[in-house]
Amino acid sequence: VAEPPDGPADLWGLHRAVVTGRLVERAVTGLAAAGIGGGHHSALGQEALAVGIAAALGPDDAVQPTHRSRLQLALARSACGPGDAIRAQAGGGTKIYSSWRDRPATIGIVGLVGSQVPMAVGVAWADQLRGRPRVTVICFGDGAANEGAVHESLNLAAARRLPVVFVVENNGLSVSTPIVDSTGAVALARRADGYGMPGWTVAGHDAVEVRDVVAAAVARARAGHGPALVEALVPRWEAHATGLAELRDDAELARVRAVDGVATVRAHLVAAGAGPAEVAAVEDAVAAEVDAAVADVRRVSPSTAAAADSPGSAAPDRLSDAEAWRLSYAAAEPA
Amino acid sequence: VRYVDAINGTLHQEMARDPDVLVLGLDVGALGGLYGATRGLLDRFGAARVVDLPISEAAHVGAAVGLAVEGFRPVVEIQIADFVTVAFDQLTTVAAKMHFLSPQHRVPMVVRLPYGAALGTGGYMSGAGPHHSQSMEAWLCHCAGLKVVMPSTPADAAGLLATAVRDDDPVIFMEHKGLYPLDGPDPPPGHLVPLGRAAVARAGDDVTVMATGAMVAIAAAVGDELAGEGISVEVIDVRCLVPLDRATLVERAARTGRVVIVHEAPRTGGFGAEIAAVVADEAFGSLVAPIRRVCGLDMPVPAGDGARAVLPGAASIAQAVRAALGERREPLRGRRPA
């Protein structure tokens, strides 16, 4: 089956992409837990969301991911491959996501949730001014949804009818705080009414549903009808980040982990007539690729704890004032 | 030309010169801004480039970052400088660190901050109280990645604004509300003032006053008054805080050996402390008197005439100059260390 250049569009393609996302995410989560590379905000459970978004976009569209979805969106949009992602986690210096200038374009993130959203609105504004047909998908979590910068961005995008699709990755938790303690809103998608844009809630573990709804929002935005808000309900299978305590009990975790994007896309395939052996063959092939990459990095990468103890990891020399200037500013320092 | 008209003329000039220059903010379109700084831009350049925005300064500044990285040169008017606090995260987290995090990106944007207490000039927002009168340059100077300029004359406002618009980094443009109605010599056509250059606002030989913004003219007037007493006051207009013209400050301090620093912002943590430290670091041996600071008091700016009891004025500057002259200490330079 032929795949379009930007990502999977048919069921087999969606299936392979979700399975790839799952196995890479599991590998990266495991490497981080083993102390190889830095910590990780595991996206286990929400792989299908990235795959559905990617399938709704063209190669020239832009995405701003979150700290949690950036690896999944990079994989789903083919900005990196499974091996790149795994080597990047292991500290191999591999670029795992593209920049604003690349195709597919990825708008950067910053270390405060929500703070990155206004600049992505600015990118969409630039596209509108330049008459480019690009649509920008801006992702943020249900936690960031309560930040003022996000509210201001939604309002501004609607006021100027910018070509934006906002996607809330609603996993129901802000680090450890349940959403019922974060907001009185019953459905975040209904906030869209307040901004004068349409809002939809989708099952974020169903790549097909995500693709279809995001594609409708993208088509609308591209036609000049302005932004929309898509609330994707996604399970968070793991704790917030590597090393953080899991406060949910076993029964709750079992309930959350039963919501499974891989099983869902498999069910779509079977309903469409695919045989279990065919499905398993695809999954085995992906697993072999991921396993090989993991074996590679485990062979060469000491854990960060071991690296810190090793001799020869001296602190870098202190920079000069002039070097500090050059790193901080684009324009030359006055002579 | 009046200070506000110099700014307006420069915006006209830069928008005509470069179609990527945008003007964004509250009421910058049909109204022309609260002070008239953006008058005529909407009619001339259209609503795609001169944009009235919803009241949401974080979105203004953050969206400007996206526009700037995409090749536009947005000039954001923050209606009153004090309002920039609600956009601080976008300035310090996003705009200031973009180039450091992504060296391939440039962020050519200007954030205009109408600041200060505007006393006695009859301008709009004169004596408007603690939420409409602050001088917040020091907060912004403390964040690497931002540049901060403070013109004190119409010609410098024109020349520095044109330079700021053409600069490839985020520039904070501090324009004093009290200076808006004041006249000054016209800048030459196409005037550009480089960043990082202080200016001699008044020549003198006995004491060097280093001042910013609206304090420059007041210090110069104090110099004229003290000339009658035989005191020769030099006034340096710092003009640009980041990058700072350390060489000129040190050289002028060493020449007179007596330094008085004047700014409207509160003293504690104010930019005057940085100037004092630069002078002490590099001209200590030439000083014959302690460095003195004349600043706003460490308190909110009261509304109305109450502000006069808090902000520096001619009397407090003159007092500091006389005090600096009263010191009679031999310079360290040329003496053996004790």
Side-chain angles (χ1 to χ4, degrees):
Chain A
V1 178
E3 288 180 7
D6 187 50
D10 68 333
L11 284 179
W12 278 111
L14 292 175
H15 169 251
R16 174 178 274 273
V18 176
V19 169
T20 302
R22 167 67 50 79
L23 294 177
V24 169
E25 195 66 40
R26 195 182 290 293
V28 167
T29 302
L31 288 168
I36 296 175
H40 181 59
H41 296 92
S42 180
L44 272 172
Q46 68 173 60
E47 303 88 349
L49 173 58
V51 170
I53 291 170
L57 296 177
D60 291 324
D61 292 322
V63 170
Q64 184 179 58
T66 67
H67 57 287
R68 196 174 304 285
S69 62
R70 64 196 185 115
L71 176 55
Q72 287 297 315
L73 278 160
L75 279 169
R77 302 197 79 208
S78 302
C80 74
D84 300 325
I86 288 162
R87 282 188 291 277
Q89 169 59 33
T94 310
K95 193 168 96 173
I96 62 159
Y97 60 98
S98 59
S99 84
W100 293 11
R101 295 274 180 266
D102 296 332
R103 289 170 85 245
T106 302
I107 301 165
I109 63 176
V110 303
L112 288 72
V113 299
S115 295
Q116 66 212 24
V117 174
M119 70 179 176
V121 167
V123 171
W125 191 352
D127 289 336
Q128 185 191 59
L129 286 169
R130 301 268 192 229
R132 283 191 294 247
R134 179 163 77 169
V135 171
T136 296
V137 171
I138 302 177
C139 302
F140 52 88
D142 52 300
N146 299 321
E147 285 280 9
V150 173
H151 158 67
E152 293 188 17
S153 297
L154 283 152
N155 184 65
L156 180 61
R160 304 207 62 78
R161 298 170 80 83
L162 297 180
V164 175
V165 177
F166 295 98
V167 175
V168 189
E169 301 170 3
N170 182 359
N171 63 23
L173 289 168
S174 302
V175 185
S176 69
T177 304
I179 191 167
V180 293
D181 294 333
S182 296
T183 180
V186 176
L188 297 181
R190 288 183 58 190
R191 291 188 183 180
D193 292 347
Y195 298 111
M197 66 175 80
W200 300 284
T201 301
V202 299
H205 64 283
D206 186 341
V208 174
E209 183 177 332
V210 171
R211 180 197 62 192
D212 292 347
V213 172
V214 173
V218 166
R220 219 182 143 271
R222 210 184 307 281
H225 300 307
L229 175 64
V230 177
E231 176 192 19
L233 302 175
V234 288
R236 197 186 83 192
W237 284 14
E238 299 295 312
H240 168 70
T242 310
L244 268 186
E246 176 59 75
L247 301 186
R248 295 171 290 184
D249 62 22
D250 289 346
E252 171 68 1
L253 278 174
R255 190 190 65 74
V256 166
R257 289 174 180 165
V259 181
D260 182 349
V262 170
T264 303
V265 74
R266 251 187 225 138
H268 281 301
L269 272 176
V270 170
E278 280 180 287
V279 173
V282 169
E283 296 185 5
D284 288 347
V286 174
E289 184 183 0
V290 171
D291 288 347
V294 171
D296 273 355
V297 302
R298 280 195 180 273
R299 227 179 355 259
V300 300
S301 302
S303 75
T304 37
D309 291 341
S310 68
S313 57
D317 289 338
R318 190 176 157 82
L319 301 174
S320 69
D321 288 342
E323 286 166 329
W325 177 281
R326 282 198 293 275
L327 290 170
S328 305
Y329 295 93
E333 190 175 16
Chain B
V1 63
R2 298 189 313 157
Y3 187 90
V4 68
D5 297 328
I7 290 167
N8 179 250
T10 304
L11 291 173
H12 274 274
Q13 165 194 301
E14 293 304 302
M15 292 195 80
R17 191 186 60 81
D18 182 349
D20 286 336
V21 176
L22 311 173
V23 168
L24 318 173
L26 303 181
D27 311 300
V28 294
L31 183 65
L34 287 194
Y35 322 97
T38 59
R39 255 194 314 255
L41 296 175
L42 176 64
D43 285 346
R44 187 169 169 196
F45 300 106
R49 294 180 63 197
V50 182
V51 185
D52 282 336
L53 291 175
I55 298 176
S56 48
E57 286 80 359
H60 305 181
V61 172
V65 173
L67 287 162
V69 171
E70 290 291 327
F72 287 97
R73 292 185 175 270
V75 179
V76 180
E77 176 176 308
I78 300 291
Q79 195 157 60
I80 298 171
D82 309 56
F83 304 167
V84 78
T85 51
V86 296
F88 250 48
D89 178 47
Q90 292 301 315
L91 274 178
T92 60
T93 301
V94 182
K97 293 173 178 64
M98 176 61 70
H99 179 69
F100 172 73
L101 290 167
S102 300
Q104 74 274 26
H105 293 329
R106 292 164 179 256
V107 188
M109 59 186 278
V110 177
V111 179
R112 293 179 37 236
L113 298 187
Y115 79 99
L119 287 175
T121 57
Y124 188 68
M125 290 287 165
S126 176
H131 298 152
H132 288 49
S133 302
Q134 294 176 91
S135 303
M136 45 241 309
E137 66 276 6
W139 297 358
L140 295 154
C141 289
H142 200 61
C143 182
L146 303 177
K147 295 172 176 175
V148 181
V149 300
M150 288 183 89
S152 75
T153 67
D156 278 354
L160 283 167
L161 182 56
T163 303
V165 170
R166 300 177 198 190
D167 196 88
D168 279 339
D169 294 303
V171 180
I172 309 297
F173 192 82
M174 305 284 302
E175 46 192 66
H176 199 285
K177 297 196 293 291
L179 295 177
Y180 280 144
L182 300 187
D183 237 325
D186 287 0
H191 187 45
L192 289 171
V193 174
L195 303 187
R197 293 280 182 278
V200 178
R202 186 184 192 283
D205 299 318
D206 295 334
V207 177
T208 299
V209 176
M210 299 177 178
T212 57
M215 293 297 124
V216 174
I218 296 174
V222 167
D224 294 346
E225 176 195 320
L226 292 180
E229 301 174 21
I231 298 172
S232 175
V233 176
E234 175 185 57
V235 178
I236 302 299
D237 180 356
V238 182
R239 288 206 297 194
C240 185
L241 309 190
V242 181
L244 180 64
D245 185 357
R246 291 185 175 78
T248 295
L249 300 183
V250 168
E251 185 240 320
R252 305 318 283 194
R255 206 175 59 85
T256 62
R258 293 181 168 89
V259 173
V260 173
I261 299 164
V262 186
H263 60 62
E264 186 171 323
R267 178 176 52 222
T268 300
F271 197 77
E274 179 65 25
I275 294 173
V278 167
V279 169
D281 279 349
E282 299 179 40
F284 184 70
S286 304
L287 298 180
V288 295
I291 302 167
R292 292 173 188 281
R293 283 184 290 162
V294 184
C295 310
L297 298 183
D298 290 329
M299 64 174 284
V301 181
D305 269 352
R308 294 182 195 281
V310 169
L311 301 181
S316 50
I317 296 170
Q319 184 183 22
V321 168
R322 289 197 184 94
L325 272 169
E327 301 282 343
R328 290 276 182 259
R329 191 172 66 78
E330 287 302 306
L332 283 177
R333 179 155 294 158
R335 293 195 315 194
R336 297 169 65 84

